[in-house]
Amino acid sequence: MNRLETFKAVFDSAPDGVIIISHLGKILLVNQQTEQLFGYTKKELEGKDIELLIPKRYHHHHQSHKTEFILNPSNRKMGSKNELWACRKDGSEFAAEISLSPVNLSDKTIITAAIRDVTERKKVEEEIALKNKKLQIQYKELEQFAYIASHDLQEPLRTIVSFSELLESQCSDDHNEAAKTYIRFISDSSKRMQQLIKGLLDYSRVGKHRELSFVDCNSIVNEVISDLNSSILESKAQISVSELPSLNAYALEIRLLFQNLISNALKFRTNEKKPIIKISAKEEKTHWHFTVQDNGIGISENDQEKIFIIFKRLHNRNEYEGIGIGLSHCKKIIELHGGELWVESKLNEGSTFNFTIPNNKHL
């Protein structure tokens, strides 16, 4: 194979449309991909003005740009911020990325243009932009709800709680046990509603004021264990922590994550067993895989997805306190970091909560 045949084979095998243009803006040579992109044959293109492949509404601007480029030729990479369009033989248009490379010959300069159809990518980008816009709207709605919950809803609740307590104190010597019971129900329900509203507010705030920083998970877990010292001593729990990584993450959220998982491991246990909790992490190809393992009451297979739903409880409040929002927090935190959260568990045999956090340097 001689040099000309080699050049032709390489030229036609290029994945993008490639056009060689003269210093006058005439098409000198095109490859096979250009024919497929535009629907013209080589004979129909060679010798024609490059404006043939540009929508007519851009001809005037393109001619001035062409003149300027020929006078001051320089490499222009693909991915220009300018929105570019190309025109096929049938008149249809497509979004394009175009790179330009001037080639200086002994007596003249020619230009090599590489053209790529980015219609599908543009479509995906537009869909992502639309989804992001919808998410921004939803986030604003959530912020508005948080404001209403923190001000408009809590104020009447505080009034109900205050008057319920006042009524309860005034009825302390009354023999009407039914009235006392009703008042106690009102007071307890109002206080629970306050807890639920606070839980919603806390949930809405996760990630709101996030700041990426270098996080030492060993230090965070040690701090959480120290904070939970009373519960650990009371339950005689044994907690072992293997070497954990340091990573770029949102420190406040990571702390809340470990606090919720360790607290749950201490809470959901039987009186017959001393809690044994093991915390570990291992590095995999694209992420760190953390596990928080316990020997508690376990979770049935049918309930393992439900536990991450906000306010979803599997047990009576008399058995285990709380409002059922801790694991929802955990799920939101992991998703904020671009990871996954799941549980492996059997009833009466304990649970292992698994979560991943990407090990990339920048989130």
Side-chain angles (χ1 to χ4, degrees):
M1 183 181 289
N2 59 38
R3 290 184 178 180
L4 185 59
E5 289 173 332
T6 301
F7 168 78
K8 188 176 184 306
V10 173
F11 189 62
D12 279 333
S13 66
D16 297 318
V18 180
I19 304 174
I20 297 178
I21 307 162
S22 75
H23 67 290
L24 299 174
K26 299 286 186 181
I27 299 172
L28 300 176
L29 192 64
V30 300
N31 68 348
Q32 289 180 358
Q33 184 63 20
T34 302
E35 292 181 289
Q36 294 176 16
L37 270 177
F38 291 94
Y40 289 101
T41 64
K42 291 184 180 182
K43 288 184 179 180
E44 289 175 311
L45 289 173
E46 290 170 0
K48 300 295 192 300
D49 288 329
I50 190 63
E51 277 81 16
L52 178 66
L53 305 179
I54 297 168
K56 288 183 179 180
R57 64 184 181 279
Y58 297 126
H59 280 193
H60 176 72
H61 295 293
H62 184 265
Q63 286 171 356
S64 61
H65 290 320
K66 180 177 67 177
T67 302
E68 182 183 343
F69 184 83
I70 291 170
L71 291 173
N72 300 288
S74 61
N75 288 323
R76 190 178 78 184
K77 296 180 180 179
M78 278 196 177
S80 168
K81 292 182 179 179
N82 295 327
E83 190 174 70
L84 303 175
W85 291 87
C87 184
R88 299 185 183 92
K89 182 179 179 179
D90 63 7
S92 61
E93 299 178 7
F94 63 89
E97 278 189 350
I98 301 171
S99 67
L100 299 175
S101 303
V103 179
N104 295 316
L105 302 178
S106 57
D107 58 339
K108 58 188 174 182
T109 298
I110 62 173
I111 301 160
T112 301
I115 304 166
R116 181 177 299 164
D117 183 349
V118 293
T119 304
E120 287 303 314
R121 197 189 74 195
K122 287 281 186 183
K123 184 179 178 183
V124 171
E125 288 174 351
E126 288 171 1
E127 288 175 354
I128 291 172
L130 181 60
K131 287 179 181 177
N132 284 337
K133 187 175 180 180
K134 288 181 178 178
L135 283 174
Q136 288 296 324
I137 292 171
Q138 290 173 349
Y139 183 73
K140 288 291 183 185
E141 290 174 348
L142 183 60
E143 281 189 326
Q144 290 174 353
F145 168 78
Y147 178 84
I148 292 169
S150 62
H151 294 84
D152 298 357
L153 293 181
Q154 289 212 43
E155 189 57 40
L157 267 176
R158 278 193 288 267
T159 303
I160 294 171
V161 170
S162 297
F163 277 94
S164 297
E165 290 174 347
L166 184 60
L167 275 173
E168 192 172 8
S169 65
Q170 289 184 351
C171 292
S172 58
D173 297 328
D174 198 332
H175 295 294
N176 191 338
E177 292 299 325
K180 292 180 185 178
T181 301
Y182 298 154
I183 293 168
R184 190 163 56 250
F185 281 156
I186 293 170
S187 179
D188 291 346
S189 295
S190 300
K191 289 175 182 177
R192 175 161 170 74
M193 180 62 78
Q194 283 183 319
Q195 289 181 322
L196 291 172
I197 289 173
K198 183 182 181 300
L200 276 175
L201 284 170
D202 292 340
Y203 183 79
S204 70
R205 290 185 184 122
V206 170
K208 185 176 180 181
H209 302 295
R210 60 185 181 181
E211 183 178 345
L212 193 65
S213 62
F214 189 71
V215 175
D216 182 354
C217 293
N218 298 288
S219 297
I220 284 181
V221 169
N222 287 335
E223 289 173 8
V224 170
I225 290 172
S226 178
D227 290 345
L228 297 172
N229 187 53
S230 297
S231 298
I232 292 169
L233 291 175
E234 181 187 342
S235 62
K236 298 180 181 178
Q238 297 176 14
I239 302 179
S240 62
V241 184
S242 66
E243 187 67 23
L244 301 178
S246 295
L247 35 78
N248 276 356
Y250 305 113
L252 289 175
E253 282 75 11
I254 291 294
R255 194 181 193 286
L256 179 59
L257 171 71
F258 280 111
Q259 181 176 305
N260 283 335
L261 292 176
I262 296 171
S263 296
N264 280 356
L266 292 169
K267 182 197 301 183
F268 294 104
R269 69 182 196 273
T270 60
N271 293 328
E272 294 78 25
K273 287 184 183 177
K274 295 178 183 178
I276 298 175
I277 303 167
K278 298 177 182 178
I279 302 168
S280 62
K282 62 178 179 179
E283 188 173 16
E284 298 183 357
K285 285 185 178 180
T286 59
H287 57 265
W288 282 95
H289 180 174
F290 291 80
T291 58
V292 178
Q293 182 181 5
D294 66 55
N295 65 336
I297 61 176
I299 305 160
S300 70
E301 187 174 349
N302 292 335
D303 292 328
Q304 288 176 15
E305 291 296 325
K306 298 176 185 176
I307 60 172
F308 299 109
I309 300 172
I310 191 168
F311 296 141
K312 184 66 179 178
R313 293 178 52 89
L314 303 181
H315 307 281
N316 190 290
R317 289 194 299 274
N318 295 329
E319 296 178 282
Y320 299 99
E321 63 179 12
I323 59 174
I325 202 170
L327 288 175
S328 300
H329 276 154
C330 293
K331 189 173 188 295
K332 188 174 180 182
I333 290 166
I334 293 301
E335 289 175 349
L336 180 70
H337 285 82
E340 296 181 23
L341 171 66
W342 71 98
V343 66
E344 297 168 343
S345 182
K346 289 185 179 179
L347 275 176
N348 305 315
E349 295 184 21
S351 303
T352 300
F353 284 88
N354 302 266
F355 61 91
T356 61
I357 294 180
N359 57 11
N360 54 318
K361 292 183 180 180
H362 301 285
L363 293 173

